[in-house]
């Protein structure tokens, strides 16, 4: 006899997204802040574990703090994994990461409520420190899980606040015992808001993410000479603040000229020393975030910037040091999974398009050890990492339903 | 019978400069930090008062904390004032301000050691908060003394650390009772290191400062939209960090084109919000320091910048607010005093040149209520507001001797 039809408990999913979003909330209208391995992150994790237990899942925590909730399957063998993260940036929206994790629970709940056992186990994963705000690199938990970063090295990472990651993890009580990478999925799916404007702009409902752009993060330190702002002729200055500004303007020129959907450049963090109105800056430290779906183009952009720095240092008589904080080549996702997502969206009559992920996601790490793909839903105004991040509830539900369908399709195949 | 010849106690002057420079000292090679109305400033003031009492001066403190040490004269009538400041920037040199105050004491000491009483009183003034690091505007004490800023308004100023100036002043025990402006000098002299490279570059020993350039300090706040660095197409960004960088580059272009000795532009302070590597900056707050000896040119530079901000706000879709922190028109010093300085330098056979002061000084405030002028000595490398600030001891002595001669010349005339 055919298995009873699975259906999603939409109200409960929305309820949980809302409830998780209230944890670590900032001032009204200022979103929430649950930076990795802080007390707020702990509170979020505690809530998630509670919900996992309510579904009677087998809850496991590994040594880097990745959280797994497994719904057992009829057959053994590698489970299907649905994952994302619940840590946030400062003043974040409620959806980034959390939506994917809670939609995973909703899928497991659909089986529970139908009294049905999946053909194989379904694991929902919440990976540690995806945002990389306090500890770098970002996507750290999934990277360790995939074997791309040694556990000890990750635990020894020192945060922007000088705290060692391993200590912070123990501090919030999520230093588990499971060896990272133990759970090797048969396939990995991640549902996420687009965090970009493409789907909304086109009026498309489902993004079939077939690849993910490469990311290069550099920290640039400019050493100039502090001097009096009123007496130092322009030609005799070694102004670290100007040098930093020149870099930002150069990068903007470069990407303004680049075709849409190619290179992006951002300087989001910049600090001056001594940071006084009437003193020429002795030092400027800033970050450069370069992204491109094409590996060659990304490298070329990095090289052009390096060349500019060299010329600038000579011209301004400053010393410039760069440090690579993060570097990930572009990732191509699994073609079969992508077509399954496409098919599921089509069956439900939802408009869809193939697309590239502009953001980094845990999926790109898990793609190293298992077939992986992502499902996107629209982000209003393309706004994310911001309290104004928003996706309509219907769209959130539609995305979760596509995920449910794809999960069933995956489990139906041996 | 002729008064015995006055001579300067050079070793003691150098000793006092060194001793004051040790108060508030930072890590080795990092200079000293005695920001106005901090405990370090208090310690510096205590030392200065001790030295004034050792000269048996009449020590007075006014309600804004200006410190006066008066050597009585034979005749009544307005005294001659020698002044500067002993507060510092962060990681400062030992000379800026302190040299002028301590040279004033050296002049008074010359009279004491000769057992001679000056024709009229000689007041040495150490003005409160000349640097304007913690409380703005800078040159505040002399500005209040000259009636350019209401006492109450000055006392109510809130510092960068949120502390009210009046409270900080009481806290360090220098909230005096004398009404600001009570001591109205017959003339004002200020001896200072150049804080610029001109004298050293020319091999000239004495700068006869006949005017001082105008200063305009603005705080610029750019309101953009925080957004995801990897998913927001360049054309859809409202990037506060880029807008700030574009301003800094614009200002550099402007002054690079300006003739030497005219407009200078500096951005010494810049902060981003949320200041994260992968988030487009929602807000940038930075300072603009514009200076020019010519009032019209200064105003024109301000206007060109305002025009640029308007166009930039439109182009980038950001909101830009500016706030004038400080604005002083250029000052022309007293011609008679300038010639006396010139004559004194000539008599001692010291090379000298007329020049403009690039930095703001208390002298420009006192010039509102009395004839004023300044004497400059070379600064090695033109470096100031920096631990590497340096002037050769011989030059420090030569400058103080010129000051002594000019004081005698001033007192010789009714």
């Amino acid at each position: 006899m055919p298995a009873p039809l699975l259906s999603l408990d939409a109200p409960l999913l929305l309820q949980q997204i809302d409830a998780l979003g209230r944890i670590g909330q900032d001032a009204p209208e200022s979103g929430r802040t649950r930076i990795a391995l802080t007390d707020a992150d702990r509170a979020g994790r505690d809530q998630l574990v509670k919900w996992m237990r309510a579904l009677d899942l087998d809850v496991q925590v590994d040594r880097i703090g990745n959280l797994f909730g497994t719904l057992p399957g009829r057959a053994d063998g590698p489970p299907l994994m649905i994952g994302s993260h619940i840590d946030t940036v400062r003043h974040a929206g409620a959806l980034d990461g959390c939506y994917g994790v809670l939609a995973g629970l909703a899928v497991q709940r659909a089986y529970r409520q139908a009294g049905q056992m999946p053909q194989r186990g379904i694991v929902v994963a919440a990976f540690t420190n995806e945002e990389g705000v306090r500890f770098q690199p970002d996507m750290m938990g999934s990277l360790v899980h995939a074997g791309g970063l040694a556990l000890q090295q990750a635990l020894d990472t020192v945060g922007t606040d000088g705290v060692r990651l391993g200590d912070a993890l123990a501090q919030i009580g999520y230093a588990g015992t499971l060896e990272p990478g133990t759970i090797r999925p048969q396939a990995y799916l991640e549902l996420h808001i687009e965090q970009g404007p493409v789907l909304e702009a086109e009026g498309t409902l489902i993004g079939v993410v077939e690849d993910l752009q490469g990311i290069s993060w550099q920290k640039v330190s400019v050493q100039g000479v502090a001097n009096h702002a009123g007496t130092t002729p322009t030609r005799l200055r070694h102004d670290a603040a100007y040098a930093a500004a020149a870099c930002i303007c150069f990068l903007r020129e470069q990407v303004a000229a680049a075709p849409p959907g190619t290179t992006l450049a951002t300087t989001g963090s910049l600090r001056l020393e001594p940071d006084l109105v009437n003193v020429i800056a002795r030092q400027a430290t800033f970050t450069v975030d370069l992204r491109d779906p094409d590996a060659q183009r990304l490298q070329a952009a990095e090289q052009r910037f390096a060349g500019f720095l060299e010329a600038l240092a000579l011209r301004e008589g400053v010393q410039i040091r760069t440090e690579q904080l993060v570097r990930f080549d572009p990732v191509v996702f699994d073609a079969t999974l992508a077509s399954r997502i496409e098919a599921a969206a089509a069956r439900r009559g939802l408009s869809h398009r193939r697309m590239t992920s502009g953001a980094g996601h845990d999926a790109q790490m898990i793609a190293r050890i298992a077939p992986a793909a992502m499902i996107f839903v629209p982000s209003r105004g393309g706004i994310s990492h911001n309290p104004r991040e928003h996706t309509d509830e219907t769209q959130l539900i539609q995305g979760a339903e596509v995920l449910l369908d794809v999960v069933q399709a995956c489990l139906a195949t041996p």
Side-chain angles (χ1 to χ4, degrees), chain A:
Chain A
M1 83 183 184
L5 186 66
L6 295 179
S7 77
L8 206 76
D9 186 337
L12 186 50
L13 170 57
L14 298 174
Q15 219 177 83
Q16 291 191 340
I17 290 172
D18 180 68
L20 185 52
R22 291 178 190 286
I23 299 175
Q25 216 159 25
D26 303 311
E29 310 301 303
S30 310
R32 68 282 305 152
T33 300
R34 293 196 312 271
I35 290 171
L37 311 187
T38 57
D39 291 345
D41 184 26
R42 178 219 311 256
R45 288 163 171 265
D46 292 349
Q47 175 61 79
L48 180 61
V49 168
K50 216 180 276 163
W51 286 330
M52 285 178 163
R53 299 210 188 285
L55 282 172
D56 192 21
L57 305 179
D58 169 20
V59 179
Q60 296 168 285
V61 182
D62 72 12
R63 295 179 60 195
I64 192 66
N66 294 324
L67 205 64
F68 302 98
T70 304
L71 174 69
R74 279 182 258 129
D76 293 343
L80 179 72
M81 186 178 282
I82 303 168
S84 199
H85 63 96
I86 64 167
D87 68 310
T88 74
V89 295
R90 245 173 241 122
H91 306 308
L95 300 174
D96 182 351
C98 304
Y99 169 51
V101 172
L102 297 174
L105 292 190
V107 167
Q108 293 173 315
R109 187 174 302 110
Y111 281 90
R112 286 294 193 207
Q113 288 180 347
Q116 208 185 110
M117 209 175 186
Q119 294 88 325
R120 277 190 315 285
I122 301 174
V123 186
V124 168
F127 293 107
T128 294
N129 184 35
E130 192 273 345
E131 295 292 1
V133 172
R134 182 183 178 196
F135 299 99
Q136 283 166 1
D138 57 350
M139 300 172 280
M140 188 187 273
S142 47
L143 181 59
V144 171
H145 183 82
L149 174 65
L151 173 64
Q152 199 50 52
Q153 193 185 337
L155 293 173
D156 290 337
T157 307
V158 174
T160 52
D161 55 358
V163 176
R164 182 177 162 279
L165 187 142
D167 301 340
L169 187 58
Q171 171 67 30
I172 67 162
Y174 278 90
T177 54
L178 185 71
E179 275 313 311
T182 306
I183 305 175
R184 235 186 150 68
Q186 169 242 18
Y188 176 87
L189 293 166
E190 185 165 355
L191 172 64
H192 209 284
I193 58 169
E194 181 193 348
Q195 303 183 283
V198 177
L199 294 175
E200 186 199 35
E202 289 185 358
T204 304
L205 289 168
I206 299 294
V208 179
V209 185
E210 55 185 351
D211 62 355
L212 186 141
Q213 66 188 355
I215 301 181
S216 164
W217 284 3
Q218 293 180 73
K219 181 173 154 194
V220 183
S221 307
V222 181
Q223 188 70 41
V225 177
N227 215 331
H228 195 292
T231 58
T232 317
T234 305
R235 73 184 185 295
L236 297 182
R237 295 181 175 213
H238 311 285
D239 184 339
Y242 167 67
C247 291
I248 296 170
C249 292
F250 170 80
L251 290 167
R252 167 60 75 97
E253 281 162 31
Q254 294 287 306
V255 298
T262 62
T263 317
L264 289 174
T266 308
T267 289
S269 174
L270 169 57
R271 311 233 170 137
L272 299 181
E273 278 288 325
D275 198 45
L276 297 173
V277 57
N278 58 343
V279 183
I280 295 164
R282 172 182 56 248
Q283 177 144 32
T285 311
F286 61 99
T287 56
V288 174
D289 175 320
L290 285 169
R291 311 205 190 196
D292 198 301
D294 179 79
Q296 279 64 36
R297 259 199 325 257
L298 180 59
Q299 203 175 23
E302 291 175 312
Q303 283 160 354
R304 278 195 306 276
F305 182 56
F308 177 77
L309 290 182
E310 222 169 285
L312 179 67
L314 248 118
R315 201 176 78 225
E316 292 299 317
V318 295
Q319 281 134 35
I320 304 182
R321 283 197 344 277
T322 64
E323 179 190 350
Q324 188 91 55
L325 297 177
V326 168
R327 197 176 193 300
F328 295 122
D329 271 324
V331 173
V332 177
F333 286 129
D334 182 71
T336 315
L337 287 178
S339 352
R340 282 194 185 132
I341 295 165
E342 208 162 37
R347 262 199 310 281
R348 285 186 179 263
L350 302 173
S351 58
H352 52 87
R353 61 118 68 199
R354 297 268 177 156
M355 67 191 298
T356 295
S357 171
H361 293 291
D362 294 306
Q364 82 195 66
M365 300 308 169
I366 306 305
R368 300 176 174 207
I369 57 167
M374 296 188 69
I375 306 167
F376 276 178
V377 294
S379 298
R380 186 174 65 195
I383 292 172
S384 182
H385 285 179
N386 185 306
R388 283 159 52 223
E389 175 185 85
H390 173 84
T391 299
D392 295 340
E393 295 189 344
T394 4
Q395 298 171 332
L396 291 173
I397 301 309
Q398 289 165 333
E401 283 170 338
V402 169
L403 175 66
L404 176 59
D405 295 354
V406 177
V407 166
Q408 294 178 85
C410 290
L411 293 177
T413 61

